[in-house]
Amino acid sequence: MQLKCKRLIFVACTILFGANLLAYSSYPNDNKVNDKMTTHKKRIVLLGASVGQQWNLPELPRRIQNDHFIFESKAVYQYDKTEALEEVLMRPKRKFHLTRTYLTGFLKPPPQPVDMIIIKECAAYFPGNMKTYKDLVQSWIKKIQYAKIEVALATVVPVTKERADKEKGKMEAIREYNEWIREYSNKENILLLDLESALRTNDQNRFLRNEFSSDDGLHLNKRAYEVLDHLIQTTFEPTS
């Protein structure tokens, strides 16, 4: 009985996949029109975690009144963002996943190629294997540059002092990582989005300011995202 149900599910998915492919074939002309309408806009994707959703990046151009950009966020809830990055780099192609979300996605236009990728890691992943972390970042940079796409590196937003006191070694690891990100960005001439500097207490302790923290001392509140809106505006202004 279970085998029969699995076969029925497979057949149903196959039929749905075929139907979506047929529907997808009706999009080419619309896509060409859409491409012409957005060629003057720079499409930027942030590879991060919860920050992208809470920040509401798609609405950022409206908030900062700059229509030269289109922002997207792709959430990956682990440090290693290799798979997600590869899917962004292969646009407008899609990596096949036998899921309902993927299959129904063929009813929509293909994902648009990007002009820039921002790599942003979360404080939740620290402390960790620093060598592995650095090696991964460097491998991502090489892949992005090989694809002839611009890249930006973001420093990690620190946690509050209260949160740091509960997790030994967290802030020390974040500070070390951020210093390396700054040095590496400068050495390789990579754009730096310095989230830490915008939200930290001071240049010495470098904790997240309490006024920018949600209740857990890790995630950000609305006031913090307003500061980051301004940071984006000033960071990308020369290329707008």
Side-chain angles (χ1 to χ4, degrees):
M1 185 66 180
Q2 286 184 337
L3 180 60
K4 185 177 180 180
C5 289
K6 289 181 179 179
R7 286 176 177 172
L8 288 173
I9 292 172
F10 178 78
V11 171
C13 288
T14 303
I15 293 173
L16 178 59
F17 181 67
N20 286 330
L21 282 176
L22 290 174
Y24 171 72
S25 65
S26 67
Y27 277 102
N29 291 333
D30 292 340
N31 289 338
K32 289 179 182 179
V33 173
N34 185 61
D35 287 344
K36 291 179 181 178
M37 293 174 63
T38 60
T39 51
H40 68 289
K41 296 186 179 182
K42 190 169 189 174
R43 185 176 293 270
I44 301 174
V45 171
L46 182 141
L47 284 184
S50 60
V51 64
Q53 280 63 51
Q54 298 299 320
W55 197 351
N56 192 9
L57 285 175
E59 285 294 310
L60 179 58
R62 180 190 60 79
R63 293 198 301 270
I64 65 176
Q65 297 182 350
N66 188 330
D67 63 356
H68 290 87
F69 301 103
I70 297 174
F71 280 92
E72 297 180 33
S73 173
K74 193 169 182 64
V76 183
Y77 294 95
Q78 59 187 30
Y79 184 93
D80 191 350
K81 294 172 172 53
T82 303
E83 184 176 354
L85 173 62
E86 290 174 349
E87 291 193 26
V88 172
L89 294 177
M90 70 187 298
R91 292 183 178 189
K93 296 179 180 178
R94 295 182 175 98
K95 185 175 181 180
F96 179 75
H97 298 283
L98 189 56
T99 63
R100 182 178 180 182
T101 302
Y102 176 86
L103 295 174
T104 55
F106 272 91
L107 293 174
K108 302 176 182 179
Q112 295 298 304
V114 302
D115 301 296
M116 174 179 280
I117 297 172
I118 302 173
I119 297 175
K120 188 268 177 192
E121 294 294 351
C122 179
Y125 310 134
F126 294 84
N129 188 318
M130 198 64 70
K131 182 181 184 306
T132 298
Y133 284 3
K134 294 176 182 179
D135 287 347
L136 280 171
V137 169
Q138 292 178 80
S139 70
W140 298 334
I141 296 298
K142 289 180 181 178
K143 290 180 180 180
I144 296 170
Q145 292 178 334
Y146 182 78
K148 300 187 184 306
I149 294 173
E150 293 182 66
V151 61
L153 286 173
T155 52
V156 175
V157 174
V159 296
T160 62
K161 186 179 186 307
E162 290 74 18
R163 177 68 182 246
D165 289 342
K166 299 176 183 178
E167 299 183 63
K168 186 177 180 180
K170 178 177 284 294
M171 276 302 301
E172 290 80 1
I174 292 173
R175 289 166 185 151
E176 178 186 345
Y177 180 84
N178 283 347
E179 285 306 308
W180 177 79
I181 286 290
R182 293 186 181 99
E183 292 172 4
Y184 183 74
S185 297
N186 183 60
K187 177 183 175 182
E188 299 297 325
N189 196 28
I190 295 171
L191 184 66
L192 176 68
L193 188 63
D194 203 341
L195 307 181
E196 181 207 311
S197 293
L199 301 173
R200 68 190 181 192
T201 50
N202 54 54
D203 295 347
Q204 287 73 45
N205 297 325
R206 297 162 59 181
F207 294 107
L208 175 64
R209 291 164 61 178
N210 288 326
E211 64 197 84
F212 295 142
S213 169
S214 63
D215 294 336
D216 63 3
L218 171 68
H219 295 94
L220 303 178
N221 58 25
K222 182 179 179 181
R223 186 174 180 182
Y225 287 117
E226 290 173 352
V227 172
L228 295 187
D229 277 0
H230 179 69
L231 177 65
I232 284 282
Q233 190 172 20
T234 55
T235 300
F236 290 97
E237 192 174 44
T239 60
S240 64

